[in-house]
Amino acid sequence: PVRGNGKIMQELEAFFRGAGWNVIKVVWGREWDSLLEKDNDGALVDIMNSTLDGDYQTYKAESGGFVREHFFGKTPQTKDMVADLSDQDIWNLKRGGHDYRKVYAAYKAATEFKGKPTVILAHTVKGYGLGTHFEGRNATHQMKKLTLADLKAFRDHLRIPITDEQLEADPYAPPYFHPGADSPEIKYLLERRRELGGNVPERREKHAPVKLPSADSYAVAKKGSGKQMAATTMAFVRLLKDLMRDKDFGDRLVPIVPDESRTFGMDAFFPSAKIYNPDGQNYLSVDRDLMLAYKESPAGKLIHPGINEAGAVAAFTAAGTSYATHGEPLVPVYVFYSMFGFQRTGDSFWAAADQLTRGFVIGATAGRTTLTGEGLQHADGHSPILASTNPAVKTYDPAYGYEIGHIMRHGLEEMYGEGSADRNLMYYLTVYNEPIIQPAEPENLDVDGLLRGIYRVSESPAEGPKCQLLASGVSVPWALEAQKLLAEDWGVSADVWSVTSWTELRRDGLAAEEEAFLNPDAQPRVPFVTQQLAGAEGPVIAVTDYMKAVPDQIRQFVPNEFATLGADGFGFSDTRAAARRYFKNDTHSMVVRALQLLAVRGSVGSDVPAYAMDRYKLLDVNAGTTGGAGGDA
């Protein structure tokens, strides 16, 4: 017991009865029945009711004689009650949860009870059947080996037909016993299982064929937003909507949103896809007059579990493993405020990985500075780091809608395309609520670089000292603005790179190091990020809206001088621009940091960085101009 001073059975009984449940307690084994029949004055029941859980544990860690003295010896009546019993007889008085007849009777009674849900509370002993060195001991988890005497006692207790000679032959490798496929026990178990429809869960190696979306379904991601401003959240939602319309694949998508559907622009799904509810919609919705009103239906596709991230990840796991458990692939797309994912339910994502879940995890309103005004609970500066600890998760921080299109298409091909080496993946994409003009997909796009983690999005036409600006997600437009300022104000030529995945670049770099370590005679493979930046002149300035540890993941694989700008610490501001100036990860901070590194090289004058810092008022949080004020998706 965690709380030895209490009685957990009574506590749980009170909770369940108070909630209107039927409660069945299985506390004492059948060996106690004759003693309870003799308990004419209730002395035994009084002792049972007043004995604390800590004492019950101690009794099972001692002996029959100890129980006789300290339990039954509390009153003359109860001591006389067991006078004819040996210490072994007293030791053999079982708890109810270890009496299969009592457990069966309780389960039968529960299935026959009508009108309320039933809970069975069964009292058991930790380590039951493993002998006196294990039963009821707090050290059970630390004890890894049974002694030969323990093994023999365990065998006798469970009546397993293995001889002393077999056990003594090698006490550390006792033989396994199976009664045989034709034994009555095994036949009975298999017959019951067949009647229930087979094994659950059962991992099926084959599943229904999946026809992936056509190229046309990704067209909306390629064309950009024209003159309309749209955040990457909206770019993602528009793509998802078209994927759901794909006649061969759309029905396999399962959007899951625990909260904020309207914030994400996903209320557009309500009229057509509808919200799944097996009972339909039996109320008059408050938003019924809106074009995008709430619609629940047994045929709904959208899972909307309310503000319940644990339930949402459970739904994500169920849908993401249906390819194996039901032979019918579904692709869950779980959308949430980015702080409420790997920080709040990271353990559940680890369990999902353990179950080989496949699907997309979308951390919306990402970044530490994009959601100022709503409190630090929304200031996500570290979800890519948390996600990187999960080996089944591929983390991407896309800047534009066309990047999202390629990443999702590649993700579906890895999960269900032909010839994929590792299908059991979860793709984590961070998207933002800062509206920008979404550019159309450029010609000659380096798709391989985009998918593997880095590609050059803009090569500077300016002449002058070179530097490289590496950015991801919402910070790529800031880097493009910094590129312009460096050229126009300082005569510096800066190339801008979109780093779609710092994590994947790091994993590739570490894999290259591992390969070189294990194959000392082979030519070492060059990490991909090193290959991409080969020939890229000048210092590297890496910037994100996350803590500096995110871009620092690739520092060891970049031979150039390397500086990181990010959002470390809490920080709080009333505007995005002020927040970015406070953290020094805004456009002007990039410019000044680049000038500082170039000054160290001697490529610009030593007084230039200080002059630039003063010119841009870098120490004044109210002087920041990076980013817009709009907050809708």
Side-chain angles (χ1 to χ4, degrees):
V2 176
R3 301 187 301 276
N5 282 328
K7 293 180 72 66
I8 190 62
M9 296 284 283
Q10 277 81 337
E11 288 181 44
L12 292 173
E13 180 182 20
F15 291 151
F16 280 102
R17 288 200 189 280
W21 286 49
N22 175 46
V23 178
I24 298 175
K25 293 193 292 183
V26 188
V27 190
W28 308 108
R30 77 187 85 126
E31 295 83 3
W32 292 84
D33 292 350
S34 59
L35 296 176
L36 288 166
E37 288 176 6
K38 299 178 185 177
D39 187 30
N40 298 318
D41 58 359
L44 179 57
V45 171
D46 286 343
I47 293 174
M48 288 174 162
N49 286 337
S50 60
T51 299
L52 300 175
D53 286 345
D55 287 324
Y56 277 128
Q57 181 185 11
T58 298
Y59 294 150
K60 268 305 176 188
E62 294 294 337
S63 64
F66 187 92
V67 175
R68 181 194 301 276
E69 179 182 352
H70 291 87
F71 181 80
F72 290 105
K74 289 183 178 180
T75 70
Q77 304 97 299
T78 50
K79 188 174 184 179
D80 290 343
M81 201 179 287
V82 294
D84 295 335
L85 298 181
S86 67
D87 288 349
Q88 187 61 43
D89 291 334
I90 292 175
W91 183 251
N92 288 335
L93 294 169
K94 287 197 296 286
R95 304 285 163 82
H98 298 303
D99 186 331
Y100 54 85
R101 291 184 184 176
K102 297 274 187 175
V103 171
Y104 180 88
Y107 188 77
K108 184 172 186 292
T111 59
E112 294 171 352
F113 187 88
K114 306 299 179 186
K116 295 180 181 179
T118 294
V119 60
I120 299 172
L121 302 176
H123 204 198
T124 59
V125 175
K126 187 175 184 178
Y128 177 74
L130 293 178
T132 56
H133 294 114
F134 285 80
E135 284 194 15
R137 300 286 177 180
N138 287 336
T140 297
H141 282 291
Q142 280 71 46
M143 301 170 69
K144 308 301 182 187
K145 298 290 184 182
L146 290 168
T147 66
L148 183 59
D150 289 330
L151 266 176
K152 291 180 177 179
F154 181 60
R155 172 205 60 190
D156 295 341
H157 178 75
L158 296 179
R159 301 185 294 280
I160 300 173
I162 294 175
T163 65
D164 284 353
E165 290 74 21
Q166 288 175 288
L167 293 178
E168 291 166 357
D170 188 349
Y172 295 101
Y176 284 96
F177 170 73
H178 190 287
D182 295 328
S183 67
E185 300 90 345
I186 298 299
K187 283 184 175 180
Y188 174 83
L189 289 171
L190 293 178
E191 286 170 7
R192 298 288 79 73
R193 179 49 48 203
R194 281 191 289 269
E195 286 180 9
L196 291 170
N199 296 316
V200 178
E202 178 188 29
R203 187 165 187 83
R204 295 171 171 85
E205 294 183 4
K206 295 183 179 180
H207 56 68
V210 177
K211 186 174 182 180
L212 295 176
S214 66
D216 292 343
S217 297
Y218 297 94
V220 68
K222 293 176 179 288
K223 67 182 183 181
S225 61
K227 296 181 180 180
Q228 181 188 20
M229 297 185 74
T232 48
T233 298
M234 182 53 70
F236 155 74
V237 170
R238 288 172 177 169
L239 172 61
L240 179 60
K241 195 170 184 180
D242 280 5
L243 290 173
M244 291 177 68
R245 289 172 174 165
D246 188 281
K247 60 179 176 32
D248 295 316
F249 182 79
D251 287 342
R252 297 195 180 278
L253 285 166
V254 183
I256 302 169
V257 191
D259 187 26
E260 305 290 359
S261 289
R262 295 190 189 279
T263 300
F264 300 146
M266 295 183 72
D267 46 352
F269 293 10
F270 292 169
S272 54
K274 298 184 175 60
I275 297 153
Y276 173 69
N277 188 327
D279 298 322
Q281 184 167 320
N282 301 310
Y283 62 91
L284 194 65
S285 69
V286 70
D287 61 357
R288 62 190 179 280
D289 293 330
L290 298 179
M291 181 186 298
L292 304 180
Y294 210 71
K295 299 287 185 183
E296 299 187 45
S297 167
K301 296 181 180 179
L302 181 67
I303 304 296
H304 203 305
I307 306 176
N308 177 9
E309 286 83 10
V313 181
F316 172 81
T317 304
T321 54
S322 65
Y323 70 92
T325 54
H326 300 289
E328 197 62 63
L330 296 174
V331 180
V333 183
Y334 173 25
V335 189
F336 51 85
Y337 273 21
S338 58
M339 279 282 271
F340 302 162
F342 288 90
Q343 172 165 304
R344 184 170 289 183
T345 50
D347 190 47
S348 296
F349 282 118
W350 188 266
D354 188 41
Q355 290 180 243
L356 306 184
T357 302
R358 304 175 188 173
F360 292 91
V361 185
I362 311 296
T365 58
R368 181 146 281 167
T369 68
T370 62
L371 206 60
T372 55
E374 289 207 35
L376 295 178
Q377 67 160 339
H378 287 313
D380 172 24
H382 51 280
S383 69
I385 290 292
L386 298 178
S388 74
T389 64
N390 191 318
V393 175
K394 298 185 77 167
T395 302
Y396 285 91
D397 187 27
Y400 300 124
Y402 68 82
E403 293 180 353
I404 294 173
H406 282 289
I407 293 166
M408 291 195 69
R409 184 173 187 174
H410 184 66
L412 289 173
E413 288 172 349
E414 283 207 293
M415 295 173 202
Y416 291 107
E418 295 182 6
S420 176
D422 183 6
R423 299 182 178 278
N424 303 314
L425 298 167
M426 296 179 282
Y427 268 59
Y428 178 45
L429 279 68
T430 50
V431 294
Y432 300 84
N433 70 331
E434 183 158 335
I436 61 171
I437 297 295
Q438 292 288 333
E441 181 176 312
E443 294 183 15
N444 302 317
L445 174 66
D446 180 6
V447 176
D448 181 60
L450 187 161
L451 295 174
R452 295 178 70 178
I454 183 172
Y455 72 99
R456 182 157 46 197
V457 75
S458 176
E459 186 173 2
S460 176
E463 298 291 333
K466 293 290 296 183
C467 70
Q468 310 297 322
L469 303 179
L470 275 58
S472 69
V474 74
S475 64
V476 171
W478 315 345
L480 290 170
E481 188 179 349
Q483 178 191 53
K484 183 178 179 182
L485 290 177
L486 282 165
E488 294 177 354
D489 293 355
W490 311 102
V492 171
S493 176
D495 294 346
V496 177
W497 302 75
S498 176
V499 182
T500 53
S501 181
W502 307 94
T503 302
E504 287 306 299
L505 292 178
R506 174 170 179 78
R507 286 175 173 170
D508 173 78
L510 292 177
E513 289 184 345
E514 180 82 357
E515 291 165 19
F517 167 50
L518 298 177
N519 300 278
D521 297 329
Q523 181 69 26
R525 178 173 70 82
V526 178
F528 181 72
V529 64
T530 312
Q531 295 177 41
Q532 286 288 82
L533 294 175
E537 300 175 30
V540 168
I541 296 87
V543 61
T544 70
D545 204 25
Y546 299 102
M547 59 194 299
K548 297 180 179 70
V550 174
D552 270 353
Q553 292 179 96
I554 68 167
R555 182 185 285 264
Q556 73 199 71
F557 307 112
V558 179
N560 314 46
E561 300 99 311
F562 193 97
T564 305
L565 301 178
D568 283 65
F570 291 113
F572 194 75
S573 304
D574 56 348
T575 67
R576 291 176 178 144
R580 290 157 189 171
R581 178 54 57 90
Y582 168 81
F583 283 119
K584 304 297 181 292
N585 67 339
D586 61 349
T587 292
H588 299 103
S589 297
M590 271 188 267
V591 172
V592 173
R593 195 71 179 98
L595 293 173
Q596 287 177 345
L597 294 183
L598 288 168
V600 172
R601 281 188 163 207
S603 300
V604 301
S606 60
D607 59 338
V608 169
Y611 174 69
M613 184 177 291
D614 183 62
R615 175 177 174 176
Y616 296 134
K617 299 179 181 179
L618 207 64
L619 300 181
D620 181 0
V621 294
N622 294 314
T625 60
T626 299
D632 293 334

